[in-house]
Amino acid sequence: MYRFGAILLLVGSIGTIPLKPEFLHPDAGLDIIELVQKYGYPIESHQVQTEDGYLLTLHRIPRGLNNTLETTRPPVLLMHGLLSSSVDWVNMGPGTALGLLLADNGYDVWLGNQRGSTWSRKHQTLDPDTDAEKFFNFSFHEIGYFDIPAKIDYILDTTGQEKIFYVGHSQGTTVFFVMASERPEYNAKIRLMSALAPIAYMGHLPNPLIFQVAEHYDVINTLVEILHIHEFLPHYDFITELGETFCSNSSDYRDACYWILNIIAGFDSEVDPDFIPVITSNAPAGSCIKQFLHYFQEIKSSNFSQYDYGEDENDAHYGQKTPPLYDTSKITAPVSLHYASNDWLAALEDVERLKNELPNLVNAKLVPFDHFNHLDFLWARHVVPYLNNDVIEEIKSN
Ligand SMILES: *[C@@H]1O[C@H](CO)[C@@H](O)[C@H](O)[C@H]1NC(C)=O
Ligand SMILES: *[C@@H]1O[C@H](CO)[C@@H](O)[C@H](O)[C@H]1NC(C)=O
Ligand SMILES: *[C@@H]1O[C@H](CO)[C@@H](O)[C@H](O)[C@H]1NC(C)=O
Ligand SMILES: *[C@@H]1O[C@H](CO)[C@@H](O)[C@H](O)[C@H]1NC(C)=O
């Protein structure tokens, strides 16, 4: 019940505030199915089972607004970041959102949802609520090792293609690098991997707040164990309502909402404040505490390695005292990196290190705008000229 305390407090306080804002973005409150249908695109839901029993939803936009299904459409898998979900590739709408632009450019668009998040909170035998300790026992390692290969194989089976394009944002890049180094046979199934805000090494994390939190890793790890926290920040309807009430244009708290996004991603004004209620309609979409702990370990160790269970348990798990490093030299798929100088979660130094290690780097591009931050990769007002045009261009030319 621990996590509900603060939440109940917040819900309680809503009662004292006028509920309906004067201006609310027309897309606020809609989920991915409703949004994509509203924009006039077809959308399908597919269920994929992983080797370890998780049941994942892949959303598919099989074609764009004005094209028919007849021609062969190369599949693209887009994989979201931590606490995000499939909707974040489409909620900027037609003409802007990468998911929709790719569909309009002739691609068969598949949108992943990580295990444990809104659309993938299912397992063959485990119940996410009553078996939370077992169900929410994964980090980006398992997402990369099990989820991504299962999705790729499903897409290839369904479409009869031999390779896919892959686009990842943030954790969506980490999980790719895990897969490509731990299951190197999957490299041959990738035509091109476009990494937006790439995260492998984190030793230079620019975000001061998260850096401080990671410094206290041991305390946090102990707290998490004592309090039995497994699932973290799933989406509840009242989060949608909080977003609509506090973050809408007419709210006195609007600046605070904006500040919360910026303190995570880097300070910037490229996200339209009116758009925040659309974001909070589906995000946060759920995760597991171990994902955070694994990233905190990376910040402290500067290594890109498997989960650190502590010396004794590492011995049992891995037969060595420190967790095995991911071997980046095995990532032989063609990779293109897109990174930004104001990204508080992906430091230039850390991207540089990855860049120097990747054996098949085809492109590395700094977004040509100094203030571009971690969330601007999805939601900047000018995301098309700063980023999406480049991504579509590189996909077309491969
Ligand atoms: C689709 O066709 C309509 C009518 O010709 C046009 O106005 C619109 O811009 C097209 N949309 C896309 C995404 O190509
Ligand atoms: C969690 O996963 C680890 C690694 O696979 C395993 O050793 C551990 O027993 C699991 N814990 C639970 C509660 O399932
Ligand atoms: C939001 O508020 C700003 C400042 O008050 C105003 O200029 C803008 O037009 C508002 N947007 C909408 C959509 O009402
Ligand atoms: C980083 O990896 C190296 C090589 O495995 C290891 O020797 C070192 O202890 C690791 N650092 C930390 C802080 O775990």
Side-chain angles (χ1 to χ4, degrees), residues 133-134 137 290 309 317:
E133 188 174 3
K134 288 205 172 105
N137 179 24
K290 205 168 162 183
Y309 292 92
H317 277 281

Side-chain angles (χ1 to χ4, degrees), residues 99 106 144 155 283 297 367 390:
I155 295 169
Q297 292 173 359
V367 174
D390 284 340

